[in-house]
Each structure stands twice: as C-alpha cells, then as structure tokens.
Amino acid sequence: MLHLIVKYMWWTVPLLLLSACATPQPVLRGTGDLGVVIERATGQVQVIETSGRKSLAQVSGLGDLSHASVVFSRDGRYAYVFGRDGGLTKVDLLTAAIAKRVVQAGNSIGGAVSQDGRLVVAQNYEPGGIKAFDADTLELVADVPADYGTEGKRSKVVGLADLPGNRFVYSLFDGNEIRVTDLSDPRNPKTQRYPAGKQPYDALVTPDGRYYIAGLFGEDGLSMLDLWQPAQGVRTILPGYGRGEQALPVYKMPHLRGWAVAAGRAYLPAIGRHEVLVVELGSWKEVARIPVKSQPVFVMARPDGREVWVNFAFPDNGWMQVIDTFNNSLVDTLQPGRAILHLEFTPKGEAVWISARDDNKVAIYDTGTRRKLAELPAASPSGIFFTSRAFRTGF
C-alpha cells in the first residue's frame, strides 16, 4: 500500500507543479493603496502603488484617452475607465489586464458607480444621455436619453455624480437642466427634471450627498439643488460675480467636484477670472475671493481640508498655488513641470501626485514640506485616480 502511495505522489506532484506554473496568479495583496495614471498619448493606463511610490504595470488597448476619467468597484479591485471614444473598460488592477470592454457611445466623458456597487453609469456627449451597466458583466441595463425641448434634441451630459439610494444626478449642458435619475430598479428608471442656469458645464456634490452645485458657462453664477428638499427647485448662488468686469479668455474649462469642499466652505474656480470663489456651505453666501496666478482649472482640497491646491489653464499651466483654508491666503507657488493637468492626494493627504503632460512624468510631493519626493515616467499623463475614491460619494 505504501508503495502505491509513493508511486502516485511521484507522478502527481510534478503535474501539480506544472499546472500551478501554467496559470500565473495575482500577487496576494490589498488594493487600498493602488491607483491608475492615464497615459493619454498611448491609450493605456499605469497601475501604481502609493505606499511605495512606484509603477506596478501598464495596461494597453483602452482607446482614446484624451479626456478620460476613472471610477472604482467597491472592493477597489477594478477600475472602470471612460474614454472619449465612448469606450468603457473594466481593468483588473491585481492582474493588470482588461477584464471587459464595451464601446457604448460615440463620445463619453466620465461616469459613476452606484451606492450598492452594482451599477456603472456613463455620461455621454453623443448620443446625449446616461447609460447604466452591470458592474460585473458590463451588460447594458438602462438607457436614459437626455432629451429636451419639443424637437427631440439630446443634450450633452456633464457633472454626473452618484447619490444615496442608487440615484444619480447630472446636468444637461445644452438643455439647461439638472436631472436626478433613480436607478434602484434599473429596468424602470425614474427621472426628475429641474430647470437650471445657462449651460451647466461641470458640478460637484457635497460629501454628505445633500447639495449639488453646477458651474455655469453661459452666465456668472452657479446652480444649486438641495437633494434633501428637491421640491424647492434649483437656486442660483453667486449671481453676477463678475458683473461690470470683462471676462478673460477661457482656454480650458474649469472642473469642480467634491475635491473643492473644505473647512465648511466650497472653493470654486471662477469662469473667466483669475480668482477662487469661497462660499459658505448652508447659507451659500460668498465669504471671500482669493486672487490667484491665472484661470484655475482644478481647485482640490487636501483630505484634512486645511489646504486647497490649484492648477491653471494655458499659458500658465506649469504653475500651481497652495491656499491655506484657515485664513484663505496663498502660502506657496510651485512649478512641478510643464502642462500640469491633474493632481490627486493620497488617501490621508501626506502626499500629492501631479501629472506633468509635456514632461512625460508624474511628480510626487510631500504636502507638509512641499518638497518633491519622487518622479515616475509616464507618456503624456493626465488624470490620476486612487482606489480610495471608491468609498466617497460623488467620486
């Protein structure tokens, strides 16, 4: 009997070893310190690690990433990449491979994940509207057109954000509306419409999911919807903030999002002005204006809310400035590289990663000393996204 057991083991152990070698397994690790860097020139992403400040892998074949954005599955393993060509790609961060890819529209600029993690929703320019997909399979489960007016036109959709209750809020750039779509039953979506100001171009939702604020390209001011009291409709805040003064050229549209909420206030880029507007949450009154070097693009708050970091549009897009939110004063001016397109703070804010497109690099800075910690090569990098976004409303 012992002879038979030994003989069996002699044949099976090598086979088991060969089988294990034939199927590479992902490294056993968590995903909390992972993220991706968009390499817009090559249609690929880098999978990066914030703890070691290093690149782990590259994933190719993601299409047109000239205006790409990323959201994450609730377990942080998968990145959903929205490309300008309408592609929606599910990337496995542990195996550094494409898990699934669909081309779902002609022109898309971003998306969001539902509160329960089961849906991925894309916002589309062409055809205008939102589409919801099963987060596991990317099967289409809902198509909600952004129709407006009486002629059947469809609007570009911008400013999409997830809300509690598997709802999504978004703006119609051409239709001058804010809409809230309930996808708790994705086969039967229900949408509420709210008239807004002229040409909403981007928006943020406050971290508690209560207020949705849309910037307006067609007029001075912002549109605000209280999502706890939506029957009150949209309210205009900061009307006429540039009244009596000629607007400066806008070379790149500013971005909003919840990054700019800090210390009980919202910090917002002013269209056509070299200013950051400061608004008190709740009262929605302007409490300060902070002159900055140029037209702000991203106005992003460090996770603790003590500082806001600002980058700028061309021709001053090689500069950044830092605002102390305690007294709303500028405390530093930096030149991290040429064509700073995006920045992302590590989950607890000890460092910030900055993409310098024209230098083909990502620069990493210590937020306490504002000294450079490291650089990573990247082909025309733009957006930087960390998995910690998976656990924040509006990201």
Side-chain angles (χ1 to χ4, degrees), residues 112-251:
V113 173
S114 62
Q115 184 182 38
D116 63 9
R118 296 181 180 180
L119 298 176
V120 179
V121 177
Q123 63 176 10
N124 295 323
Y125 270 16
E126 179 61 41
I130 64 171
K131 290 183 178 180
F133 301 85
D134 183 283
D136 291 329
T137 65
L138 296 192
E139 173 195 0
L140 179 66
V141 295
D143 185 351
V144 184
D147 55 316
Y148 71 100
T150 58
E151 300 176 0
K153 294 182 179 179
R154 294 177 66 163
S155 173
K156 301 180 184 69
V157 171
V158 295
L160 177 72
D162 61 286
L163 296 175
N166 293 330
R167 296 173 301 147
F168 295 83
V169 59
Y170 51 98
S171 296
L172 275 60
F173 179 82
D174 308 291
N176 303 327
E177 286 185 355
I178 293 172
R179 295 188 180 179
V180 178
T181 295
D182 185 343
L183 288 170
S184 54
D185 177 5
R187 302 293 182 181
N188 184 30
K190 299 177 180 178
T191 299
Q192 299 293 323
R193 302 182 175 196
Y194 304 93
K198 188 175 181 181
Q199 295 180 317
Y201 67 87
D202 195 14
L204 66 84
V205 62
T206 52
D208 59 5
R210 177 169 183 177
Y211 296 103
Y212 180 77
I213 306 170
L216 302 176
F217 185 69
E219 61 182 277
D220 284 352
L222 300 97
S223 291
M224 188 273 292
L225 177 65
D226 184 344
L227 295 159
W228 292 6
Q229 304 177 88
Q232 294 183 354
V234 172
R235 171 183 168 189
T236 300
I237 61 175
L238 303 186
Y241 59 75
R243 185 180 293 117
E245 299 180 32
Q246 184 174 356
L248 298 169
V250 178
Y251 294 105

Side-chain angles (χ1 to χ4, degrees), residues 51-63:
S51 297
R53 305 185 196 116
K54 60 185 178 181
S55 176
L56 301 179
Q58 288 180 313
V59 183
S60 303
L62 280 73

Side-chain angles (χ1 to χ4, degrees), residues 36 85 96 109 114 118 156 158 164 173 186-187 205 239 248 264 280 289 291 319 331-332 351 358 377 383:
V36 298
D85 56 1
I109 62 163
S114 62
R118 296 181 180 180
K156 301 180 184 69
V158 295
F173 179 82
R187 302 293 182 181
V205 62
L248 298 169
E280 183 180 56
R289 294 190 186 191
W319 296 85
V331 293
D332 213 341
D358 292 354

Side-chain angles (χ1 to χ4, degrees), residues 8-147:
Y8 174 78
M9 291 177 63
W10 184 82
W11 283 103
T12 56
V13 170
L15 291 174
L16 290 171
L17 290 174
L18 286 172
S19 176
C21 293
T23 308
Q25 298 297 313
V27 175
L28 184 63
R29 62 165 304 149
T31 59
D33 67 343
L34 299 184
V36 298
V37 175
I38 300 294
E39 295 185 293
R40 59 188 292 164
T42 56
Q44 62 187 17
V45 298
Q46 282 194 36
V47 180
I48 54 87
E49 178 198 275
T50 61
S51 297
R53 305 185 196 116
K54 60 185 178 181
S55 176
L56 301 179
Q58 288 180 313
V59 183
S60 303
L62 280 73
D64 182 356
L65 301 184
S66 58
H67 192 295
S69 65
V70 179
V71 294
F72 296 94
S73 60
R74 65 183 297 150
D75 61 2
R77 176 168 180 172
Y78 297 100
Y80 300 96
V81 183
F82 301 87
R84 196 61 187 258
D85 56 1
L88 168 56
T89 309
K90 183 179 180 180
V91 176
D92 188 331
L93 300 181
L94 294 184
T95 63
I98 293 176
K100 185 72 176 178
R101 174 174 166 81
V102 296
V103 178
Q104 55 84 35
N107 191 337
S108 182
I109 62 163
V113 173
S114 62
Q115 184 182 38
D116 63 9
R118 296 181 180 180
L119 298 176
V120 179
V121 177
Q123 63 176 10
N124 295 323
Y125 270 16
E126 179 61 41
I130 64 171
K131 290 183 178 180
F133 301 85
D134 183 283
D136 291 329
T137 65
L138 296 192
E139 173 195 0
L140 179 66
V141 295
D143 185 351
V144 184
D147 55 316

Side-chain angles (χ1 to χ4, degrees), residues 200-390:
Y201 67 87
D202 195 14
L204 66 84
V205 62
T206 52
D208 59 5
R210 177 169 183 177
Y211 296 103
Y212 180 77
I213 306 170
L216 302 176
F217 185 69
E219 61 182 277
D220 284 352
L222 300 97
S223 291
M224 188 273 292
L225 177 65
D226 184 344
L227 295 159
W228 292 6
Q229 304 177 88
Q232 294 183 354
V234 172
R235 171 183 168 189
T236 300
I237 61 175
L238 303 186
Y241 59 75
R243 185 180 293 117
E245 299 180 32
Q246 184 174 356
L248 298 169
V250 178
Y251 294 105
K252 183 174 176 61
M253 199 78 84
H255 290 61
L256 298 180
R257 296 288 166 178
W259 300 307
V261 174
R265 297 182 291 270
Y267 290 77
L268 306 164
I271 282 279
R273 301 181 64 80
H274 295 178
E275 291 180 334
V276 171
L277 306 176
V278 186
V279 185
E280 183 180 56
L281 298 182
S283 71
W284 303 105
K285 294 180 178 179
E286 178 184 320
V287 294
R289 294 190 186 191
I290 304 171
V292 289
K293 183 175 181 62
S294 190
Q295 166 69 67
V297 177
F298 281 101
V299 178
M300 296 180 62
R302 202 172 68 184
D304 64 357
R306 179 59 191 268
E307 289 182 349
V308 167
W309 290 49
V310 185
N311 74 329
F312 303 105
F314 178 86
D316 296 311
N317 57 357
W319 296 85
M320 295 190 67
Q321 290 188 307
V322 182
I323 296 169
D324 185 336
T325 61
F326 184 73
N327 53 21
N328 289 331
S329 63
L330 287 173
V331 293
D332 213 341
T333 299
L334 309 172
Q335 275 188 293
R338 295 179 299 160
I340 303 303
L341 296 191
H342 196 231
L343 60 150
E344 179 87 333
F345 292 96
T346 51
K348 290 194 174 183
E350 79 285 351
V352 61
W353 291 47
I354 302 167
S355 62
R357 182 196 62 196
D358 292 354
D359 286 332
N360 294 305
K361 71 179 183 182
V362 172
I364 305 168
Y365 278 75
D366 183 300
T367 55
T369 64
R370 303 190 194 98
R371 294 179 180 175
K372 187 185 298 182
L373 298 171
E375 287 185 355
L376 298 178
S380 297
S382 53
I384 304 172
F385 306 89
F386 297 155
T387 56
S388 54
R389 288 170 172 251

